[in-house]
Amino acid sequence: MRLTDHDQDILSGSEGEAARLAMQILCDMGEIFAADEMMPVSQVHIDMTLYMVDAGVEFVERLADLGGRFAVPTQLNPSAVDLRRCRELRVPAELEEKSRRLERAYLKMGATPTWTCAPYQQGMIPGFGEQIAWGESNAIAFANSVIGARTNRYADLVDVCAGIIGRVPRFGLHLSENRRAEILVTLEGFTPEMFANSAIYPLLGYVFGEIAAGRIGALEGIPKAVTMDDLKAFSASAASSGAVGLFHLLGITPEAPSLEVCFPGGGPTPLVLTPRMVADAEERLSDGTVERPDLVALGCPHFSATEFIALTELLQGRPVHASISCWVFTSRAVYAEVEEHGVLELAHSAGVKVFTDGCPLQYPVQSWDFRAAMSNSAKFANYCYSQTGLRVVYGSLRECVDTAVNGRVCREAGLWRKN
Ligand code: F3S
């Protein structure tokens, strides 16, 4: 890999040991991926923000103690906990202490404490074509596909190094030639009524991710009226079922205005995605034996202000059932927004608990006696059992709200469902 004189100086330690170490890691990665040189990025989103193992905390602390400082605007994915409501979330002392160590180290290096996995719905939103270095799979897929910004799927800790240097090896999705669709997927048999139900988008993303696996896919047939929250849900589930870092929705996403632009030499034979495949995916994401979940978990990825409004409208003033906890996870920015406009009070008065900073898959399992959960997130449903041990049911936001209010699983038949 060709390095500039400045890159070489950093590698020689001219900007301190933290920068030298970060540059060495980035250069090693560049060699592995046969990058030709380093290139600047305008901002970084760090995924290694929740406590998982001591090594992660120690690495970040080491960089901070060695004088590491972020060279470009750098923001943070969720912590393992709500850093402002540890008591309410019953966070064990050790987990809080390790989460606070991560918080201190990142703030010392100059990070913006956004603590959100939906950074594209607030604050530092990149523009079309902007070169960035983001971690967090749903955010990467959204930034690349919906916004048209350019990032690789940066791994934990590499993103920290990218923030310190403000540069990354030039390869992969940073380059135009690697952003072209490789497969074409066509929706067949879907009706306007199906698309009007937002529960379909996480499922479409989930099946699309399975089909695409590691390839860049173009999807034909999504209606233009799709919302940002639908695209958020699609991105999250596609990135959880397949290694999806970039997808194209024909006629919707910025790098796919038409089939001809996506496939200049003529499109490949399309792979077909049907309502039956969506129904099968939904069955795989739901445990049919769950009748009375203890937890309704919303906000994976983090809830937007629009989703809060939809939640309170669906509640219609009805209180959450005494046997169920209804939790919503969101960013501090969205929390402040819905608080200012009175929407938060409506949720609170119904008995909904709203947490910031954290992630519904990382709640302190040992502090709560939950056995089963329900969510409108296919990503949550996909990971729930393996990460928390809870059985899980997938459903629309309306079904989640009705379940929370009635204390038992409420699901509607019809549309793509088999009964
Ligand atoms: Fe965000 Fe946690 Fe879901 S980080 S995308 S809420 S798994």
Side-chain angles (χ1 to χ4, degrees), residues 47-77:
D47 186 48
M48 220 321 281
T49 45
L50 50 86
Y51 170 73
M52 284 187 151
V53 291
D54 286 353
V57 180
E58 288 163 9
F59 181 78
V60 177
E61 284 183 330
R62 183 165 171 219
L63 288 172
D65 291 344
L66 288 171
R69 295 292 178 270
F70 293 123
V72 291
T74 297
Q75 55 183 329
L76 302 174
N77 215 44

Side-chain angles (χ1 to χ4, degrees), residues 86-360:
C86 283
R87 186 167 300 174
E88 197 178 337
L89 195 56
R90 302 180 193 165
V91 178
E94 186 184 356
L95 177 58
E96 180 178 354
E97 194 262 327
K98 287 181 173 162
S99 300
R100 298 248 175 248
R101 282 172 58 189
L102 276 170
E103 179 185 33
R104 277 195 296 275
Y106 281 128
L107 295 186
K108 187 174 174 184
M109 289 196 280
T112 304
T114 47
W115 305 115
T116 184
C117 49
Y120 41 80
Q121 289 191 312
Q122 55 137 78
M124 287 161 43
I125 303 170
F128 177 77
E130 196 169 329
Q131 298 284 4
I132 60 176
W134 277 18
E136 168 54 48
S137 65
N138 97 82
I140 293 163
F142 191 99
N144 272 322
S145 316
V146 181
I147 298 175
R150 297 185 173 202
T151 177
N152 282 320
R153 287 166 55 93
Y154 283 98
D156 284 7
L157 302 176
V158 172
D159 46 19
V160 184
C161 298
I164 290 174
I165 301 300
R167 288 163 68 73
V168 294
R170 207 172 79 100
F171 73 96
L173 296 176
H174 289 294
L175 303 174
S176 300
E177 60 266 32
N178 297 327
R179 299 176 64 84
R180 295 191 193 113
E182 299 164 286
I183 59 167
L184 175 62
V185 180
T186 302
L187 300 182
E188 258 182 39
F190 291 89
T191 63
E193 290 73 31
M194 292 179 186
F195 289 122
N197 186 330
S198 62
I200 201 166
Y201 291 99
L203 297 172
L204 286 173
Y206 191 81
V207 179
F208 177 82
E210 290 183 322
I211 294 171
R215 298 169 295 183
I216 298 173
L219 180 60
E220 187 175 37
I222 296 283
K224 283 193 166 40
V226 63
T227 68
M228 282 298 140
D229 288 323
D230 293 334
L231 293 172
K232 171 172 73 172
F234 183 99
S235 301
S237 54
S240 81
S241 64
V244 173
L246 168 63
F247 58 83
H248 300 295
L249 303 183
L250 293 182
I252 295 170
T253 55
E255 290 168 79
S258 66
L259 187 64
E260 294 68 35
V261 169
C262 265
F263 299 101
T269 306
L271 304 164
V272 175
L273 198 168
T274 65
R276 168 56 70 111
M277 293 161 80
V278 164
D280 286 344
E282 188 171 33
E283 279 190 4
R284 284 185 278 131
L285 288 167
S286 285
D287 183 330
T289 66
V290 175
E291 291 178 0
R292 294 184 177 276
D294 318 283
L295 173 67
V296 169
L298 306 171
C300 172
H302 276 176
F303 238 39
S304 67
T306 316
E307 289 173 307
F308 267 107
I309 290 168
L311 169 68
T312 53
E313 285 178 354
L314 288 167
L315 277 167
Q316 295 177 320
R318 297 174 296 169
V320 171
H321 196 272
S323 66
I324 284 196
S325 294
C326 181
W327 289 358
V328 181
F329 286 77
T330 191
S331 66
R332 294 184 184 191
V334 168
Y335 187 97
E337 196 178 337
V338 294
E339 184 173 40
E340 186 181 346
H341 293 283
V343 179
L344 185 67
E345 176 52 31
L346 292 176
H348 279 161
S349 61
V352 174
K353 281 193 189 307
V354 181
F355 294 108
T356 61
D357 309 345
C359 163

